[in-house]
Amino acid sequence: MTTTLVRGCCPHDCPDTCATITEVRDGRAVAFYANPEHPITQGWLCAKVRPYLERVYSPDRLLYPLRRTGTKGSGSWKRIDWEEAIATISERWKAIIAEYGAAAILPYSYSGTLGLLQTAIVDARLWNRMGASALDRTICCAAAHAAVYATLGARYSPDYDDLLHSRLIILWGHNPASSGPHAMPFIRQAQRSGAYVVVIDPRRTATARSADLHLPINPATDGALALGMMHVIFAEHLHDEPWLEAHTVGWRDLRARAAEYDPERVATITGLPAQTIIELARRYATTKPAIIKTADGIQRHQNGGQTFRALLCLPAVVGQYGVRGGGLAYSTGGYAVWDSEAIGHASECPSPPRSINMNRLGAALTGEVTDPPIMSLFVYCANPLASSPNAGLIEQGLRREDLFTVVHDLFMTDTARYADIVLPATSQLEHLDLHRAYGHRYLTLNQPAIAPLGEAKSNWDVSRLLARAMGYTEPWLHESAEDAIRGVLEASRARNPFLANITFERLQREGTVRLNLSPEDEVPFANGHFPTPSGKVELWSATLAAQGLDPLPRYEPPTEYVTHPLEDGWLTLISAAPHHFVSSSMANQPSLRRKEGEPHVEINPIDAAARDIRDGDMVVVSNERGQCCLRAVISTNVPVGVVAATKGHWASLSPDGRNVNWTTPDALADLGGQSTFHSNRVQIRAARP
Ligand SMILES: Nc1nc2c(c(=O)[nH]1)N[C@H]1C(S)=C(S)[C@@H](COP(=O)(O)OP(=O)(O)OC[C@H]3O[C@@H](n4cnc5c(=O)[nH]c(N)nc54)[C@H](O)[C@@H]3O)O[C@H]1N2
Ligand SMILES: Nc1nc2c(c(=O)[nH]1)N[C@H]1C(S)=C(S)[C@@H](COP(=O)(O)OP(=O)(O)OC[C@H]3O[C@@H](n4cnc5c(=O)[nH]c(N)nc54)[C@H](O)[C@@H]3O)O[C@H]1N2
Ligand code: SF4
Ligand SMILES: [Mo]
């Protein structure tokens, strides 16, 4: 029997975007592993994706469309065929459109896959044509995006191997050992050759344990730390004045702002000794190249936007942008920018009637959004009941008898359990897609390796069926998967020099292709040009001033930290990335659940003793939004006042049918409408009788 090797790409929300190989024999995938040729993947996959065939061939895969037969959430289903499923959806939608208008229909999706076709194109075309409510996709990184565009003008970052040139690496609110593991070998190698590694994180993470210095900062105070560092750097004349003069706007205003953040004040705010802050500032200003590598942890706070702004200012103050091994590494998402018209054909469509912030889903379903209310929810590539904030309110919304909910997924997720119609989705091995990365600068084509399991269909195929049933005849709603990808690639290539010479044929031939970066583009901003309105780093941001926001970075505590003080027994709950799942994806896979352990919360021995909580106790974690039960793990990995759980555990697989998101806030951050998961204060008590 012959074995075929099919090149693919990991679709999950992870900066590494690994290249994969599937071995197929007789139509069945028999092995799945890393493509050894990919320079970032480097021949290994992470612990969660290595056993991917367990996910693909899981006995829990949805294989047929289902129609709800019992009450919402009761779990009684009847198998139906696709014809009936699509007819049911389209008839219901036509009736809703006739009565309320298409704005009453809300598509809800996020990062189940990050593909160009199955995500970007599917997120746009059908909904644009329909005139449905748009979704503000703000759950993950909206504050950082707004801060980066305001300050630097583009999301440019170097590849991980650039770290080999760094002498100082500050991993700031970032835990790559779990959340982007392919950076770790480069960090280790740099460290072995003498680079000094600092981790700034309230938790002692796996990444922190291997650093030269771990600074357990008070949550949501990083903006104050960054301003305190600038205070010291300016006060000691360690700043790079010629660089600031040539490449920035407003550095003197920033210096005046930083003057308000003396080390003693910052010590009180951050919980770090003043001497440590001074030493960190000196080290940062005098060790070059110095890179700040950050991700998303620090922005999931009410002050996340201003915090990110403060971090973005630091490399400018010491003249480290445009330097190999220096600057700030956040996201490489600004290179392979797709042509938005080719993606969504918006100019041929009605303009979206309104936009709904995804972090407010529960509120939107229960009265915040009216005229028209949301009457139908179409969920795909997302599991909001497990992953979105204030989940108790989402559950209340999903129980609405008059809400018509459709969920398209590979599994019967927490959210799917509340659907009226459930549709089976294909896995990455069963569909075509093209992937860019947010952690490096390569494109990877994912070729389908096997036929769809059961009657599973890809997002694009479902979108095409729905478009036909709705009577939409535009050819761009009906083209083949390959034509859709080719069309966007070609239109984007015509405008974007980073895509020059990258054709679909070349991607088919080579699998992974490096973006077309000239030697000048290799190091972000090496040409001294920043695509902001001024062409410079906007330390004083005209963009933010125009929005009535503070044009200079500042520190303000999250409101909840003020209204729910530690002195009254409140604790800050951080719920960061789990090691063995990606958000709630893969969190139903038995072998990974075993490795991750049952849903738990880490609590400092002092906080535990004060509450008579013993290691291994079941505890109730609660606030005014809701509660969940978790196993207590007493640990000095968290400082006093901070408790740590992880995101991702399915509510339906948790002790009391809820997860941490029953407590997380749906308040929005200061920039971009960003989520504020970590600006969360809770009470904890043992569940003993
Ligand atoms: N294994 C795994 N990998 C993932 C994911 C996953 O779920 N699992 N999720 C993916 C997704 S969707 C994303 S967005 C990225 C996120 O990538 P990261 O941002 O690296 O991941 P997080 O764990 O969300 O947050 C990083 C760290 O921020 C810390 N943190 C929280 N609040 C603060 C604060 O106020 N200050 C400081 N300094 N640190 C703080 C947390 O303790 C955590 O260790 O990871 C992706 N990769
Ligand atoms: N408490 C807390 N919660 C958080 C965070 C946090 O820090 N703390 N972080 C947030 C962040 S950063 C993010 S990005 C969000 C992620 O939130 P979501 O985008 O909701 O991600 P998942 O929970 O992984 O759900 C993705 C779903 O898509 C499905 N899927 C995968 N591939 C496909 C496909 O091809 N087609 C279809 N139709 N479905 C598919 C998967 O099976 C899975 O059920 O979670 C957020 N939730
Ligand atoms: S989740 Fe990340 S590290 Fe793991 S295989 Fe996918 S891209 Fe690679
Ligand atoms: Mo995310």
Side-chain angles (χ1 to χ4, degrees), residues 13 110 140 300 647:
D13 191 340
Y110 200 65
C140 180
R300 295 211 188 90
K647 63 173 171 172

Side-chain angles (χ1 to χ4, degrees), residues 97 126 129-131 466-474 477-478:
I97 292 170
L126 176 65
R129 171 64 183 81
M130 187 181 284
L466 288 169
R468 193 175 64 195
M470 294 301 290
Y472 306 150
T473 54
E474 288 76 359
L477 288 167
H478 301 282

Side-chain angles (χ1 to χ4, degrees), residues 10 12 14 16-18 45-46 48-49 181-182 582:
C10 174
H12 291 288
C14 169
D16 297 359
T17 311
C18 290
L45 301 177
C46 67
K48 51 204 179 295
V49 169
H182 289 81
V582 177

Side-chain angles (χ1 to χ4, degrees), residues 404-424:
F404 177 64
T405 302
V406 182
V407 175
H408 182 209
D409 204 297
L410 289 81
F411 295 98
M412 185 60 79
T413 62
D414 293 342
T415 313
R417 289 158 69 96
Y418 285 91
D420 296 280
I421 300 279
V422 174
L423 303 174

Side-chain angles (χ1 to χ4, degrees), residues 13 140 174 178-179 200-201 203 220 222 296-297 301 577-578 581 583:
D13 191 340
C140 180
H174 179 26
S178 292
S179 66
I200 303 175
D201 194 313
R203 302 189 301 145
D222 304 84
D296 304 293
H301 283 292
F581 322 138
S583 297

